[in-house]
Amino acid sequence: FHDVDVIPNDFRQRYICSKRPRHLCSYLDKMRYVLMYKQFFGVVVAINRQNYENINGFSNLYFGWGGEDDDFYTRIQSKNDFFERYDSQVGRCHMMRHVHNSNEANDRFELMDQSLKRMKTDGLNSVEQFYHDLQVENHRLFTKVKVKLIHE
């Protein structure tokens, strides 16, 4: 999973999945290359299919900005001993300047507090309640999925 506004600074970052989930871009220039907080697990993440299915994927309840990465971290930690993270030199990334959508996710803190309680019922197994497939495009290095939001 890769945020579109981030570019790696160090090409030693390997964009492949391993046994454990891997946090690739942990140290952003926007944050002066300092890890924002120990549980930070977003921006660019590599996770294999088995691990992703084991945690039931991402939550479908976050609309707006914020919280979804922390929810994902909680799911990862509940099913894995630990995840991999590149060191502070290799894991450096540049965040492109952009207008930030300041619409914060409704009830994001409450959602994050309930992450483990919702994990079995909110995720891959409930995605059809929220989205309708419009188009899937398979490319050599990525898959582009266009969807329509059903519920708000």
Side-chain angles (χ1 to χ4, degrees):
F1 296 95
H2 203 299
D3 286 7
V4 299
D5 58 350
V6 174
I7 301 170
N9 288 358
D10 192 313
F11 292 105
R12 290 177 290 174
Q13 291 187 24
R14 299 196 56 199
Y15 277 63
I16 59 172
C17 296
S18 62
K19 266 187 166 179
R20 294 187 179 89
R22 179 180 294 146
H23 191 200
L24 281 77
C25 288
S26 307
Y27 304 92
L28 300 169
D29 60 346
K30 182 178 179 178
M31 301 297 170
R32 297 185 182 141
Y33 299 114
V34 173
L35 187 64
M36 289 190 285
Y37 48 95
K38 183 181 171 186
Q39 297 82 12
F40 176 55
F41 193 77
V43 182
V44 182
V45 173
I47 182 171
N48 67 36
R49 182 179 182 152
Q50 180 181 356
N51 284 328
Y52 191 70
E53 289 176 350
N54 193 33
I55 63 168
N56 198 20
F58 276 95
S59 169
N60 295 304
L61 300 179
Y62 291 86
F63 294 95
W65 179 86
E68 73 285 350
D69 291 335
D70 294 315
D71 188 291
F72 192 59
Y73 170 83
T74 300
R75 292 171 182 237
I76 293 283
Q77 286 299 102
S78 74
K79 297 287 186 173
N80 297 281
D81 292 336
F82 59 92
F83 62 88
E84 299 171 353
R85 178 180 279 148
Y86 285 119
D87 67 40
S88 61
Q89 294 302 309
V90 176
R92 289 183 175 213
C93 293
H94 169 71
M95 182 172 279
M96 294 183 278
R97 291 180 188 229
H98 62 286
V99 176
H100 181 65
N101 178 355
S102 61
N103 295 331
E104 293 181 347
N106 294 338
D107 304 324
R108 66 186 172 127
F109 293 110
E110 293 162 23
L111 285 170
M112 288 186 302
D113 287 342
Q114 301 296 317
S115 180
L116 293 179
K117 292 179 182 177
R118 291 181 291 97
M119 193 167 102
K120 290 183 180 179
T121 58
D122 168 32
L124 286 172
N125 62 2
S126 66
V127 74
E128 290 178 1
Q129 297 172 23
F130 296 90
Y131 304 98
H132 173 69
D133 286 348
L134 293 179
Q135 183 180 9
V136 176
E137 298 175 10
N138 291 305
H139 298 268
R140 192 169 143 233
L141 297 176
F142 65 94
T143 301
K144 181 178 179 179
V145 181
K146 292 183 182 181
V147 296
K148 180 179 180 183
L149 181 62
I150 296 172
H151 298 290
E152 290 191 36

